[in-house]
């Protein structure tokens, strides 16, 4: 059981937190032919758009209701309605996700009611699905925003129970998974003879050539989402989608199998066992081969990782897999993890301290001990520089490295990639350190 | 926010002169709901002030304003890294209900004690403005208690665009900073640059020229500058406004109050760089300086033209579309033309009527002025004008790349400096690199299964 510390500073320094609306938008972008609209001032959407563009190196569909000073004070539905009309007419999305912001929530907007009114006033737009997610900026973080959006989309698109289709499985995907991760799990599930419905499918932002589009070109098809009640089970990966899984369980009696992460041997073994039991089939040869390779990779890498001190920072879904794998499977020590927001069960992780705070808190809480490795988003580089530790980039945003979204981290294959990358960083550092001439020898 | 009106009556802003009374009241162009969105006033204020590198920049508001934007600009500093520390009060629901003033005060105190900055700029954003947090009073009190200048910047995003934010930043400097300290000594050749942000170190490209001429840059507002330098900026003899629109009102006010004459110019391209130096020499009013400047210009132009020759051969006749804002849309046109390239169009977005006149003059019959093309129109223009390369901000980067059109970033995310004579060479090198990259040919190649 870790010590849970909530940072009590008035000023967040080197912020780790990303806003709730940003998390919601992220999930909305995982739907095919969709367009997110931020209900707020223009700057909120502009920042969010630039932020995600820099992370993905892709154009990010996003619009704003552009509340300005007068509108901000007066209230009113006009901006929202105009934005919806413009977006539907110009971009022709099948799906529009409206997320609120600090501005519209402080103004006291009844956005949900306003969307209902829009529906009544404009019959001609009824073919476009519109879903609202309430995400004031001053509550929660990216994690909650993503979680709420996933649940809200299901709640508003799914209606009556359906006849079960025995081969269909719901796959709820954490924001911590990359395009490669999603490929891997899709392939695996198909190899056992099941048809997965993957939601949200972030491969919509995986880098597509010759395909400029103002709305998402890929992602989960709305018709597939609507078929989700017909699935036999739900596999939920990541705390952020647990609530959505629970909803499917309660409302449509679909049993949920929950994994906080699919990084590491044990997690994946347990998923494979589940699939073996469900299908009565053996996994394909390639999966068996990769399990061997992973074991070998872990043995080879342990020289560099076992006993090392690693600090991990990020939104909650990134923390579970990393912390468990590093400590329980690789024998590293994680003296502290930092999350911008609390999520249920974080304090049960096998780490020293769980800090709810910002990146500066790492400096304030490592208590002078030498840290061998830092794991987290690009912004962590400021801390890495300060304490002169190698920095492995995982998380959001990453804007000083290319290709992160096409790397795998989950499953036997992904974990092997991860463990090699971490070990390589430490190998380089250890090698360098061993050439360091001690002062007393130099003086001679 | 009564003062805002003043900004829409910028007498020297060509953009405003052309507007009817009614249009003026409405201010600069309003963002459209459901249209492409640009940055907010807070964004603009931050852009203009964050380069004051030994100060801290504290954003008062919930997380998105600072959280999604800190450390995202390409400005470089040789003084301090304070400006790269993201700081925010990260207001919670409780703060919104009870007001955020106390938290703001505590936040200022914390960071002053921990980081010992020369000053703290405090940015007001939308939510605290809506609930009525009085940032000015908090800053005043904190400043008195802590003995460090704490400067309020009233820039809630909803008041307007990035451009307006630049102006609000200029206003904050004029009211609270400029003229509050005295330089150790002054010279007859002290000048300021206004609106130069030292993106990718562009200021450093031109600084040696000033040094050689014996002109001292007292303050560059704001790029690679200290708080103290800005505070002493009122002792300059000449101001140069590097970005015509946004810092113009600051230049005008400094002229009124301190009698500092100003001119508008740019460091993009050989001709513009030379012109800027000439203007300084002329306004500083010494025959000897004018003469020395001419000699330097002659030498530098000759040197750089020789170096450019091999690149010009490769660039000649290549067709460029420019989609960037304001002053850059004409200054970059001449820069690219000096390299022998054909500008088939440039954007009139965020440009004053003066900007537009210059563009028309430069473009001749071949080029078009396009008004803020959306991605679809851009794609159409690539085909229609047979475009070889797009120069634009990050927003259109992927529109071009997806179409297999080479792209050069002209915005804050660029990491190569294109200013001054040497910047011209770097620009030429970058253009050749991207235009002649083999990837674009491969990009158009059919997949094996497509020819079946
Ligand atoms: S528009 Fe307002 S709330 Fe949004 S980013 Fe700008 S200052 Fe912050």
């Amino acid at each position: 059981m870790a010590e849970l510390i909530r940072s009590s500073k008035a000023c967040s320094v080197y912020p780790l937190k990303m806003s709730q609306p940003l998390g919601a938008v992220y999930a909305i972008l995982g739907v095919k032919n969709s367009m997110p609209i931020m209900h707020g001032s223009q700057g909120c959407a502009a920042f969010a758009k630039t932020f995600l563009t820099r992370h993905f190196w892709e154009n990010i569909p996003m619009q704003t209701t552009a509340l300005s000073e007068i509108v901000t004070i007066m209230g009113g539905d006009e901006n929202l309605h105009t934005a919806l009309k413009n977006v539907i007419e110009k971009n022709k999305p099948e799906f529009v996700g409206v997320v609120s912001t600090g501005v519209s929530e402080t103004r006291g907007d009844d956005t949900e009611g306003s969307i209902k009114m829009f529906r009544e006033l404009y019959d001609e737009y009824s073919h476009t699905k519109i879903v609202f997610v309430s995400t004031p900026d001053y509550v929660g973080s990216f994690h909650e925003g993503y979680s709420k959006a996933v649940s809200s989309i299901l709640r508003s698109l799914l209606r009556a129970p359906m006849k079960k289709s025995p081969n269909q499985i719901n796959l709820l995907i954490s924001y911590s998974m990359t395009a490669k991760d999603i490929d891997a799990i899709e392939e695996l599930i198909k190899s056992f003879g099941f048809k997965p419905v993957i939601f949200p499918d972030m491969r919509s932002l995986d880098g597509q050539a010759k395909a400029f589009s103002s709305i998402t070109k890929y992602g989960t098809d709305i018709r597939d989402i609507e078929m989700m009640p017909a699935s036999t089970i739900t596999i939920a990966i990541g705390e952020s989608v647990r609530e959505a899984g629970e909803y499917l369980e309660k409302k449509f009696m679909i049993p949920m199998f929950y994994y906080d992460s699919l990084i590491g041997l044990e997690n994946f073994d347990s998923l494979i066992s589940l699939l073996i039991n469900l299908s009565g089939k053996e996994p394909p040869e390639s999966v068996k081969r990769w399990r061997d390779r992973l074991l070998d990779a872990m043995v080879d890498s342990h020289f560099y990782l076992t006993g090392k001190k690693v600090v991990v920072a990020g939104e909650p879904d990134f923390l579970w897999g990393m912390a468990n794998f590093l400590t329980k499977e690789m024998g590293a020590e994680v003296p502290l993890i930092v999350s911008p927001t609390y999520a249920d069960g974080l304090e049960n992780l096998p780490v020293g301290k769980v800090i709810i705070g910002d990146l500066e808190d790492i400096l304030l809480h490592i208590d002078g001990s030498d840290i061998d490795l830092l794991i987290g988003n690009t912004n962590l580089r400021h801390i890495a520089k300060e304490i002169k530790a190698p920095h492995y980039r995982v998380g959001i945003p990453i804007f000083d490295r290319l290709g992160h979204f096409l790397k795998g981290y989950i499953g036997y294959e992904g974990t092997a990639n991860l463990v090699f990358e971490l070990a390589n960083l430490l190998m380089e550092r250890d090698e360098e350190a061993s050439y360091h001439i001690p002062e007393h020898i130099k003086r001679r | 926010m009564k003062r805002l009106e003043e900004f829409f009556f910028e007498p020297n802003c060509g953009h405003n002169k052309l507007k009817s009374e009614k249009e003026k009241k409405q201010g600069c162009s309003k963002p459209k709901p459901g249209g492409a969105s640009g940055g907010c006033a807070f964004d603009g204020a931050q852009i203009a002030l964050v380069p004051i590198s030994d100060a801290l920049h504290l954003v008062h508001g919930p997380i998105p304003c600072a959280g999604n934007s800190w450390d995202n600009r390409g400005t470089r500093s040789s003084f301090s890294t304070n400006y790269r520390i993201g700081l925010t009060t990260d207001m919670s629901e409780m703060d919104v209900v009870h007001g955020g003033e106390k938290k703001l005060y505590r936040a200022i105190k914390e960071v002053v004690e921990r980081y010992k900055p020369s000053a703290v700029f405090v940015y007001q954003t939308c939510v605290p403005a809506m609930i009525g947090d009085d940032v000015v009073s908090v800053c005043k009190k904190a400043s008195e208690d802590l003995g460090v200048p704490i400067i309020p910047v009233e820039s809630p995003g909803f008041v307007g665009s990035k451009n307006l934010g630049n102006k609000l930043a200029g206003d904050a400097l004029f009211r609270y900073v400029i003229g509050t300290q005295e330089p150790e000594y002054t010279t007859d050749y002290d000048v300021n640059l206004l609106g130069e942000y030292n993106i990718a170190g562009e200021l450093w490209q031109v600084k040696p020229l000033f040094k050689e001429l014996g002109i001292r840059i007292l303050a560059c507002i704001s790029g690679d500058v200290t708080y103290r330098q800005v505070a002493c900026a009122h002792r300059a003899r000449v101001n140069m406004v590097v970005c015509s629109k946004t810092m113009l009102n600051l230049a005008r006010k400094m002229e009124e109050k301190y009698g500092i004459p100003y001119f508008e110019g740019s460091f993009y391209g050989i001709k513009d760089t030379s012109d800027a130096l000439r203007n300084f020499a002329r306004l500083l009013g010494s025959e000897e300086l004018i003469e020395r400047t001419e000699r330097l210009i002659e030498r530098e132009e000759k040197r750089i033209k020789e170096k450019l020759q091999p690149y010009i051969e490769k660039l000649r006749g290549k067709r460029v579309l420019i989609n960037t804002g304001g002053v850059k849309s004409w200054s970059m046109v001449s820069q690219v033309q000096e390299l022998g390239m054909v500008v088939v169009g440039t954007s009139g977005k965020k440009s004053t009527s003066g900007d537009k006149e210059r563009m028309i003059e430069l473009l001749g019959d071949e080029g078009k002025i396009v008004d803020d093309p959306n991605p679809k129109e851009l794609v159409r223009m690539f085909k229609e004008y047979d475009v070889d390369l797009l120069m634009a901000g990050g927003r259109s980067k992927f529109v071009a790349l997806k179409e297999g059109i080479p792209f050069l970033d002209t915005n804050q995310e660029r990491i190569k400096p294109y200013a001054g004579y040497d910047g011209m060479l770097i620009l030429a090198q970058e253009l050749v690199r991207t235009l002649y990259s083999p990837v674009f040919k491969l990009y158009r190649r059919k997949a094996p299964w497509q020819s079946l």
Side-chain angles (χ1 to χ4, degrees):
Chain A
M1 187 93 165
E3 184 189 354
L4 184 72
I5 302 170
R6 286 174 199 270
S7 181
S8 62
K9 297 185 301 191
C11 191
S12 168
V13 185
Y14 298 116
L16 175 60
K17 195 192 269 184
M18 299 178 286
S19 67
Q20 260 209 123
L22 192 69
V25 160
Y26 198 92
I28 291 162
L29 292 169
V31 179
K32 189 173 174 174
N33 292 330
S34 84
M35 173 70 90
I37 297 180
M38 272 200 183
H39 187 26
S41 297
Q42 60 167 340
C44 315
F47 277 145
K49 193 177 164 89
T50 315
F51 183 94
L52 291 176
T53 302
R54 290 180 79 197
H55 177 72
F56 284 110
W57 281 67
E58 291 295 323
N59 176 59
I60 304 293
M62 194 177 318
Q63 294 294 358
T64 172
T65 55
L67 299 177
S68 61
E69 181 163 35
I70 300 145
V71 191
T72 310
I73 294 154
M74 310 282 280
D77 306 309
E78 206 187 302
N79 275 51
L80 178 62
H81 288 190
T82 316
L84 283 169
K85 264 194 274 181
N86 283 347
V87 163
I88 295 174
E89 274 174 15
K90 259 203 316 221
N91 307 108
K92 310 203 169 30
E94 281 189 304
F95 178 82
V96 173
V98 178
V99 307
S100 62
T101 60
V103 174
S104 58
E105 295 274 352
T106 306
R107 207 168 72 133
D109 278 12
D110 171 18
T111 308
E112 189 134 46
S114 179
I115 292 174
K116 264 203 197 104
M117 200 156 93
F118 180 83
R119 283 284 178 225
E120 281 158 23
L121 287 172
Y122 305 101
D123 202 33
E124 64 268 39
Y125 303 129
S126 58
H127 54 278
T128 307
K129 306 267 187 228
I130 304 172
V131 169
F132 170 64
V133 194
S134 165
T135 47
D137 287 301
Y138 41 76
V139 178
S141 184
F142 184 99
H143 181 80
E144 287 90 342
Y146 183 88
S147 184
K148 276 187 196 169
V150 172
S151 296
S152 302
I153 293 170
L154 295 186
R155 277 172 210 274
S156 68
L157 294 186
L158 307 188
R159 295 268 170 265
M162 293 175 167
K163 199 173 144 281
K164 292 280 174 243
S165 98
N167 279 336
Q168 186 179 299
I169 289 180
N170 294 330
L171 251 184
L172 297 176
I173 302 286
S174 156
Y175 55 78
S176 64
M177 290 167 70
T178 63
K180 179 98 196 251
D181 288 338
I182 301 176
D183 280 351
I185 183 126
E186 178 181 43
E187 221 173 280
L188 179 81
I189 289 187
K190 282 184 175 165
S191 74
F192 281 94
F194 297 110
K195 176 188 177 295
V197 178
I198 296 170
F199 173 69
D201 190 344
M202 296 312 299
R203 286 176 296 186
S204 52
L205 299 175
D206 65 355
Q208 298 131 28
K210 307 182 185 182
F212 183 82
S213 167
S214 58
I215 53 177
T216 53
K217 260 191 77 175
Y218 299 97
T220 318
D221 195 302
I222 291 192
R223 283 149 291 269
D224 289 338
I225 298 179
E226 286 170 340
M227 287 304 290
M228 284 173 85
S231 293
T232 46
I233 62 162
T234 297
I235 296 174
I237 309 156
E239 212 275 334
S240 60
V241 293
R242 176 152 66 177
E243 193 195 302
E246 283 165 359
Y247 164 74
L248 292 172
E249 196 165 52
K250 263 196 217 115
K251 174 106 194 228
F252 303 107
M253 323 253 242
I254 307 170
M256 170 176 72
F257 294 85
Y258 169 72
Y259 297 87
D260 50 37
S261 163
L262 290 179
I263 293 176
L265 185 78
E266 273 191 63
N267 279 335
F268 212 58
D269 275 355
S270 123
L271 176 67
I272 301 269
S273 309
L274 172 72
L275 293 171
I276 292 173
N277 286 337
L278 282 176
S279 65
K281 285 187 191 154
E282 286 256 311
E285 216 37 54
S286 62
V287 171
K288 296 182 186 166
R289 271 299 281 282
W290 266 112
R291 191 176 188 284
D292 267 4
R293 290 173 183 163
L294 171 60
L295 288 174
D296 191 50
M298 289 167 70
V299 171
D300 292 349
S301 304
H302 94 276
F303 293 107
Y304 301 99
L305 277 164
T306 301
K308 292 292 166 69
K309 287 202 177 77
V310 188
V311 168
V312 192
E315 293 280 342
D317 280 4
F318 288 105
L319 300 174
W320 263 279
M322 285 291 170
N324 276 325
F325 173 65
L326 284 166
T327 52
K328 290 190 187 154
E329 304 199 347
M330 290 311 299
E333 187 192 331
V334 177
L336 64 94
I337 57 175
V338 192
S339 169
T341 185
Y342 176 76
D344 220 6
L346 271 183
E347 67 272 35
N348 298 329
L349 284 171
V351 302
K353 295 173 189 166
V354 175
I355 297 170
I356 311 300
D358 56 38
L359 296 175
E360 189 201 38
D361 285 318
I362 298 174
L363 298 176
L364 304 177
H365 284 96
I366 50 175
D367 302 327
S369 68
D370 275 338
I371 299 300
D372 296 293
L373 178 67
L374 289 166
I375 300 180
N377 68 21
T378 283
N379 291 326
L380 194 57
R381 62 185 168 176
H382 293 278
I383 309 302
K385 217 170 150 191
E386 182 97 16
I387 64 172
K388 298 191 181 63
H391 169 201
Y392 186 68
R393 281 146 180 89
V394 170
I396 310 169
I398 297 179
F399 41 67
D400 59 347
R401 289 291 184 276
L402 289 170
H404 51 84
F405 204 57
L406 296 184
K407 283 186 190 173
Y409 298 93
I410 65 150
Y412 303 138
E413 186 180 346
T415 306
N417 162 59
L418 173 67
V419 76
F420 280 144
E421 296 217 301
L422 297 179
N424 284 342
L425 270 179
L426 289 168
M427 185 192 283
E428 190 183 354
R429 178 175 140 110
D430 288 357
E431 277 265 323
E432 251 167 51
S434 73
Y435 283 104
H436 180 78
I437 306 162
E439 279 307 315
H440 67 280
I441 300 293
K442 259 197 222 159
R443 252 182 278 121
R444 203 175 40 183
Chain B
M1 276 279 156
K2 185 95 187 58
R3 267 201 343 277
L4 276 177
E5 272 173 31
E6 185 197 325
F7 292 102
F8 298 130
F9 285 96
E10 181 57 57
N12 287 352
C13 167
H15 198 60
N16 256 347
K17 272 191 239 161
L18 287 182
K19 287 179 180 170
S20 70
E21 274 312 306
K22 189 168 157 257
E23 278 173 333
K24 278 184 195 167
K25 284 243 165 60
Q26 288 171 343
C28 297
S29 53
K30 282 254 147 54
K32 284 177 229 94
S37 78
C40 61
F42 156 68
D43 191 7
Q46 212 181 205
I47 289 165
L49 298 177
V50 161
I52 302 175
S53 64
D54 59 346
L56 290 176
H57 300 269
L58 167 53
V59 181
H60 182 43
I63 196 66
C65 320
N68 296 346
S69 75
W70 69 279
D71 198 26
N72 77 345
R73 305 283 305 182
T75 183
R76 302 285 185 264
S77 162
S78 59
F79 294 107
S80 167
T81 51
N82 273 355
Y83 72 110
R84 291 185 69 191
I85 307 175
L87 297 167
T88 174
T89 48
D90 183 11
M91 287 172 82
S92 68
E93 195 159 23
M94 286 293 275
D95 302 324
V96 175
V97 174
H98 298 293
E101 292 177 12
K102 284 215 181 81
K103 189 173 196 186
L104 174 60
Y105 181 86
R106 276 208 293 134
I108 296 170
K109 194 156 178 272
E110 274 175 22
V111 297
V112 167
E113 280 164 8
R114 187 159 154 72
Y115 293 96
K116 314 239 175 324
S118 58
V120 183
F121 286 88
V122 174
Y123 300 82
Q124 172 75 311
T125 63
C126 295
V127 170
M130 290 169 80
I131 61 170
D133 278 1
D134 183 351
V135 171
V136 177
S137 306
V138 175
C139 288
K140 191 156 174 279
K141 176 147 196 327
S143 199
E144 284 161 12
D145 295 354
L146 304 168
V148 175
I150 313 287
I151 313 301
V153 187
E154 291 177 90
S155 55
F158 58 65
V159 298
S161 66
K162 217 146 79 166
N163 271 336
L164 179 60
N166 287 164
K167 292 184 192 172
L168 293 170
D171 183 55
L173 292 181
F174 185 73
R175 288 160 144 266
Y176 299 108
V177 186
I178 295 170
T180 57
Q181 295 184 29
E182 290 299 330
E184 259 154 52
Y185 64 97
T186 56
T187 75
D188 289 342
Y189 301 122
D190 288 350
V191 303
N192 297 322
L193 302 180
L194 308 184
E196 164 59 50
Y197 302 127
N198 197 30
I199 303 289
E202 285 190 336
L203 173 65
W204 298 334
Q205 295 290 111
V206 294
K207 235 179 168 171
L209 301 171
F210 284 83
K211 197 155 181 218
E212 189 181 335
L213 291 173
I215 300 175
R216 178 167 74 151
I217 299 173
L218 208 52
C220 176
I221 299 176
S222 299
D224 193 29
V225 69
T226 62
Y227 181 81
R228 179 165 158 71
Q229 287 172 337
V230 178
C232 298
H234 61 300
R235 292 300 177 204
R237 301 298 171 97
V238 176
N239 277 338
M240 170 176 168
V241 182
V242 184
C243 182
S244 69
K245 204 171 169 189
T246 55
M247 282 290 165
L248 209 59
N249 73 323
L250 179 61
R252 187 176 50 76
K253 283 185 189 161
M254 287 178 79
E255 183 174 46
E256 257 167 37
K257 186 162 174 191
Y258 305 109
I260 307 173
Y262 69 86
F263 70 95
E264 290 176 55
S266 130
F267 292 116
Y268 292 125
I270 298 172
K271 186 171 167 297
D272 282 11
T273 305
S274 298
D275 283 351
L277 297 176
R278 279 194 186 102
N279 272 322
F280 272 120
R282 182 178 52 83
L283 285 168
L284 288 168
S286 133
E287 282 304 322
E288 187 266 338
L289 177 64
I290 293 176
E291 219 170 87
R292 272 196 298 126
T293 307
E294 286 305 330
R295 275 204 305 270
L296 174 132
I297 288 172
E298 202 187 300
R299 186 197 73 205
E300 284 294 301
E301 289 198 353
K302 185 160 171 282
R303 176 182 70 86
I304 207 69
K305 277 179 184 159
E306 267 166 30
K307 281 198 177 166
L308 282 173
Q309 210 41 51
Y311 297 96
I312 292 179
E313 272 154 35
K314 290 192 163 166
L315 294 172
R316 184 168 293 128
K318 295 279 183 198
R319 301 169 67 81
V320 185
L321 181 66
I322 299 180
N323 182 28
T324 176
V327 64
K328 270 200 236 134
S329 41
W330 55 260
S331 59
M332 289 212 143
V333 172
S334 56
Q335 198 178 11
V336 171
Q337 286 175 339
E338 283 173 352
L339 293 172
M341 302 171 86
V342 179
V343 178
V344 296
T346 186
S347 128
K349 166 181 70 171
K350 289 193 261 173
S351 297
T352 64
S353 61
D355 288 340
K356 281 198 185 165
E357 275 164 31
R358 299 185 78 151
M359 279 186 242
I360 293 170
E361 200 182 300
L362 285 168
L363 286 172
D365 301 334
E366 262 263 28
K368 311 246 177 322
I369 295 183
V370 290
D371 268 311
D372 200 4
N374 65 33
K376 258 196 207 129
E377 286 163 40
L378 263 183
V379 171
R380 189 186 51 77
M381 279 157 44
F382 292 155
K383 304 224 164 84
E384 193 180 321
Y385 305 150
D386 194 15
V387 170
D388 292 314
L389 177 126
L390 176 71
M391 287 173 74
R395 269 215 296 163
S396 359
K397 181 180 194 167
F398 301 103
V399 183
L401 295 182
K402 296 289 171 205
E403 294 295 317
I405 303 278
F407 172 87
L408 196 83
D409 202 330
T410 58
N411 246 2
Q412 74 272 5
E413 279 159 40
R414 65 186 185 274
I415 49 167
K416 294 278 164 95
Y418 301 138
Y421 301 113
D422 290 318
M424 201 53 185
L425 184 62
I426 295 177
L427 177 72
Q429 288 166 342
E430 288 298 297
L431 284 166
V432 167
R433 229 153 57 88
T434 181
L435 273 166
Y436 286 89
S437 171
V439 302
F440 292 102
K441 229 182 249 154
L442 293 174
Y443 197 83
R444 276 181 278 264
R445 191 183 146 100
K446 278 205 173 88
W449 53 90
Q450 281 174 326
S451 42
L452 288 182

